[in-house]
Structures are given as C-alpha cells and as structure tokens.
Amino acid sequence: MEKFRIEGPVVLKGSVEISGAKNAILPLMAASILMDTPVAFTFVPKVMDVFTMKELLERLGAHVEWTGNGTILIDPTTIDNPLAPYDIVKKMRASIYVLGPLLMKFGKAEVSLPGGCAFGPRPVNFHLEGLKKLGADIKLEHGYIKARLKKPRGAQIVFDKKSVGATIHLMMTASLIPEETILRNAALEPEVVQVANFLKRAGVKIYGEGTDTIVINGIKKLNQVEATKVIPDRIEAGTFAVAAYMTGGEVEIKNCIPEHISPTIEKLEESGADIVVDGERLVIKKRKGKIKPLFIYTQPFPGFPTDMQAQFMAMLSVADGTSTIKEGIYPDRFLHAFELIRLGADIKVEDGTAIINGVPRLTGAPVMASDLRASASLVLAGLIAEGTTIIDRIYHLDRGYEDFEHKLNSLGAKIERFHG
Ligand code: UD1
C-alpha cells in the first residue's frame, strides 16, 4: 500500500494553483447521462473519484475519454446498461448521482445501495423519497436500489435537512420532467449552482439556485452545450490556506473564488492570519504572532464546511490556547483526532464536539488516514511535526486531491510517496 513519508517542520513559500472541484465534476459527469449529444468538461481534476465516475459511465455504456490535459469528453448516446454495480458504488458514494438521470432516460435503473462510511451513517433517504415524488417506484432488494419510472411528474419536495447530494440529484432528475418542481430547504453550495448553470445552458429553466428554494421547469430533451469549465475546488484552496498559515509561511493561492471560501478565510483571520484577497487569488502572509484558538461549528454553506474541519483541527492542535470544534453535519467525523493525538496533540472528543488544547509542538509518528479530509489534516500536521511522519492509507487522499504532494513539495514540503 502507498504511504507518505513527511519530514518536518517546514515553512511553505511560493505559489500554488488550485484544481477543478471534485464535488462539482462528479455530478456534472452524471448529468451527461441526461444529454443526447457528447459533452465536454475542462479543468477536470485527475483524482481517483473522477476515474471512478469515468469507469462507472463506461460500465453503463458511455464513451468517455480524456482529450487533453484536464479535458474530458463524454458521449452518453451509447449508454445501454442502467446498472451501477456494488464494486463501483462502494468506492464512491457519489455514484448515487446516476440513479435519477438513468431513470429519466431508460425508465428504470439499478444502483447499489451505498453503505456507511468512516465518519458514520450516510443515508440516501432524501434522494429516494424525492425520486418517488417525481414519479419513481423504488424497491430495495439484495443491496440494490431498483427504480422504475411510473409517471414522471413535477413535485414540491421539502428536505428535512440541507443535502448537497439530494439537491443536485433531484434538480438533475427534474430537468427532464416537463413540469414544475420546487425544491425547498435546498442546499446552497457552489457545486449546486454550477450544476444548475450547466442544466440552464442545456435549456432547462431553473430559478433560485444558490438560495434555499430552487424551481425547475424541465424539458423533454436537453440541448447541446459548449464545453463547461469546472469551478475551482474550494476545499483544496482552503487546505492550502491553512497549510500556509500553520507552517508560518507565505503562499499565493491562484485560481480560487474567494466568496466560496469565505468561512475559511474568516476563521483564519480570526486566528490571526493576514490574508490579501485579490480577484481570483489569495495571499497568506507570513505569520507574525501565535495561532489563536477558535470556536468552529460546521454547517451547510455558507456556514463553515465540514470538509475543512479536520485541517483546522491539525492547525489548532498547536494554537495558543483551547479551541472547540462542533460538528453540525457528521457528529462522528473525528477519526483524525485520534491520529493527531499520536502526533502529540491534546484533543478530547465527546458528543460531536472536539476540545483541542494547543500544545507547543507536534512530533512525527506513524499514523493512518481514515477518510479524504482526515488524510489532508494528517499531511498538514506532518508538515509541522518534528521528525518523520509516516501516513498509511493515502489512497483516501488520492480520491480528492490532485498532485497534493507535488504541489506541497513545490512550496518547500518534504513529502515522499513510497510502497510499504
Ligand atoms: C457532500 C460532499 C461531501 C461533504 C458533504 C457535506 C460531494 C460528492 N460530497 O456529500 O464532501 O462532506 O456534502 O457538506 O459533494 N442526509 C440524510 N439523508 C440523505 C442525504 C443526506 O440524512 O438522503 C444527511 C447526511 O447524513 C448529513 C447531511 O444530510 O448529515 C448532509 O449530507 P449531504 O449534504 O447530502 O452530503 P453529501 O452530498 O453526501
């Protein structure tokens, strides 16, 4: 299995360019199923989840190819097998996105039921209840969601909780229903807006994306669209910003949309960071004082993202005082805390809350990554830990960060990938 060997401490310096957003391209690739013509996406990150979605679309029968650096071309017209098997869905929960589009195109679909994940249960009930309202008949059999389209119809769907996945999934599905669908308590994330914009360019009438009420007036057939550029990855940008600040470095972050990462910028500033925002770039200035402790409460966008919580925990483990992180999305998403403790951090986790007592320094140790963002937090901790940190199971990291170690090494990190 591949591992990272990280020598620390280092101070990051230089300039880094952010890749396209994994969480935007995955639903866009699934949305290609709705099209009757080939569709191209540019600025696509070469990360494992994108390769997995490519493989899934190919298993369905689509023709998918990389046609240039970061450009992917999908021809959905050859899709003939509306089945997403367990061996793919177990690798990537976002596979659920193909269910609604397949249903609309073929009148039936089978998608393996995604299981839980390292940070707890991750149900898909909002997806399934919403599809039922849009006219699907759904059965769960032998670990599979078996769906048939009885009579597609527009509907009003009120989510009990904001869900990025369910909002995007049902918006895509409703796009091919020529009636009005209203999604209430919808998610506001930038990835929802990007998918809405794509569908609008294909002729669907959508209003209210980026607010909690989205109205979709679907059409029978989507129009051909020009190549779509994927938005920059706000979590990758945030990860580099935290890395720069916690190592006491000075880093320019290019190709990011500052409004998409404003909760991260605000929390870093509250922690003492001096950040210059200039168009699509950020500069994290060299730190003058100590890292100040924070209170963080993860919430749906525009609140503080759960996907940045682990990276902040690594930083706050060496803050000058006690910090609190309360998880408002996934109460069990704290496995990284126990690995950070192996590096010398002082963290207690109870009832969906982590209390982090800042220590003067971390020290290198072997640790294990449990999920994507947890892996990133361990890498950041390894950058400041004294000595050698070995991180096992970095395949989690490869799911969502493009060239992570190369980008960090270009800023002065000492990270080596090895088989062990
Ligand atoms: C997406 C992101 C993930 C991020 C998460 C929360 C992608 C591919 N993944 O995941 O990186 O951590 O948003 O910002 O975009 N819920 C239900 N029933 C459902 C669906 C969700 O109860 O049917 C709950 C979840 O358990 C969670 C909350 O709703 O507590 C939000 O989850 P959701 O926004 O759906 O997460 P994902 O879209 O899976």
Side-chain angles (χ1 to χ4, degrees):
M1 216 176 287
E2 287 189 318
K3 299 180 182 172
F4 275 165
R5 180 181 295 110
I6 306 180
E7 298 296 336
V10 295
V11 175
L12 300 185
K13 270 199 194 80
S15 178
V16 66
E17 180 138 359
I18 298 308
S19 301
K22 164 182 95 69
N23 288 352
I25 184 61
L26 294 177
L28 286 171
M29 289 173 81
S32 71
I33 297 171
L34 299 164
M35 310 290 288
D36 296 306
T37 48
V39 52
F41 300 104
T42 64
F43 209 59
V44 178
K46 288 207 168 86
V47 294
M48 199 48 78
D49 276 6
V50 169
F51 299 141
T52 304
M53 185 58 95
K54 176 175 182 287
E55 189 190 341
L56 173 54
L57 293 175
E58 285 168 345
R59 294 259 204 117
L60 300 174
H63 186 76
V64 188
E65 66 175 312
W66 292 96
T67 55
N69 193 19
T71 300
I72 206 165
L73 182 68
I74 303 172
D75 181 356
T77 58
T78 49
I79 294 180
D80 57 0
N81 176 31
L83 169 75
Y86 176 63
D87 64 309
I88 297 209
V89 179
K90 75 173 183 201
K91 283 200 245 174
M92 186 183 68
R93 300 177 48 81
S95 307
I96 187 84
Y97 280 136
V98 303
L99 176 60
L102 285 175
L103 197 57
M104 295 313 301
K105 288 299 266 194
F106 296 93
K108 60 178 185 178
E110 280 186 36
V111 174
S112 169
L113 200 55
C117 74
F119 44 94
R122 290 181 72 183
V124 288
N125 55 323
F126 301 159
H127 299 246
L128 303 188
E129 292 308 317
L131 289 176
K132 282 184 197 164
K133 286 205 159 172
L134 297 177
D137 181 25
I138 293 185
K139 286 197 195 96
L140 301 181
E141 270 175 13
H142 306 297
Y144 275 78
I145 305 162
K146 297 191 175 173
R148 278 188 179 276
L149 195 58
K150 287 194 299 194
K151 191 181 176 315
R153 53 175 183 260
Q156 166 155 254
I157 296 166
V158 185
F159 296 111
D160 287 341
K161 209 177 182 185
K162 287 196 161 46
S163 160
V164 182
T167 301
I168 293 181
H169 191 185
L170 297 173
M171 181 172 73
M172 295 195 292
T173 307
S175 291
L176 274 187
I177 301 175
E179 290 182 17
E180 185 166 275
T181 293
I182 303 177
L183 305 179
R184 295 197 189 276
N185 198 21
L188 282 65
E189 269 71 359
E191 294 76 25
V192 177
V193 176
Q194 167 136 68
V195 177
N197 285 335
F198 171 79
L199 296 168
K200 279 160 74 162
R201 283 165 50 229
V204 185
K205 297 220 163 19
I206 300 181
Y207 311 93
E209 69 279 9
T211 75
D212 64 6
T213 302
I214 304 178
V215 180
I216 303 124
N217 282 291
I219 50 178
K220 285 201 168 127
K221 198 171 158 18
L222 300 192
N223 304 325
Q224 186 156 18
V225 290
E226 296 283 302
T228 301
K229 185 176 179 212
V230 180
I231 55 170
D233 194 308
R234 61 198 167 95
I235 305 301
E236 188 197 5
T239 302
F240 277 98
V242 172
Y245 181 59
M246 69 192 271
T247 62
E250 177 148 329
V251 173
E252 177 193 39
I253 298 174
K254 291 195 290 199
N255 186 47
C256 72
I257 301 178
E259 307 90 80
H260 291 179
I261 60 166
S262 53
T264 295
I265 295 177
E266 277 167 33
K267 281 293 166 192
L268 281 173
E269 285 174 342
E270 200 183 318
S271 184
D274 179 6
I275 301 179
V276 179
V277 180
D278 170 23
E280 294 204 338
R281 66 189 263 281
L282 291 183
V283 181
I284 318 298
K285 301 294 230 180
K286 194 168 168 45
R287 192 175 75 229
K288 297 213 174 71
K290 292 186 172 168
I291 297 171
K292 292 189 198 144
L294 295 173
F295 173 80
I296 287 176
Y297 182 22
T298 67
Q299 287 174 76
F301 191 86
F304 185 91
T306 172
D307 284 353
M308 281 304 302
Q309 177 257 101
Q311 301 87 318
F312 269 79
M313 189 183 287
M315 175 185 106
L316 294 172
S317 62
V318 291
D320 186 29
T322 300
S323 302
T324 303
I325 298 181
K326 193 167 150 50
E327 213 353 297
I329 313 276
Y330 300 112
D332 298 323
R333 193 180 195 175
F334 283 122
L335 288 178
H336 44 280
F338 306 102
E339 299 303 301
L340 291 170
I341 290 170
R342 293 185 45 73
L343 298 172
D346 177 358
I347 304 171
K348 287 188 186 51
V349 176
E350 216 177 275
D351 293 337
T353 301
I355 308 287
I356 305 124
N357 290 309
V359 294
R361 71 190 62 82
L362 299 181
T363 48
V367 287
M368 195 181 293
S370 55
D371 66 69
L372 172 57
R373 307 303 169 187
S375 321
S377 84
L378 296 177
V379 173
L380 301 197
L383 296 178
I384 56 165
E386 283 170 13
T388 308
T389 297
I390 306 279
I391 307 182
D392 200 352
R393 302 203 177 164
I394 53 166
Y395 59 85
H396 289 296
L397 191 93
D398 295 334
R399 284 190 41 213
Y401 284 91
E402 186 176 45
D403 283 340
F404 196 47
E405 78 264 37
H406 300 125
K407 288 185 183 184
L408 282 169
N409 285 345
S410 76
L411 298 174
K414 294 175 193 152
I415 307 176
E416 187 197 343
R417 184 183 286 256
F418 68 102
H419 285 274

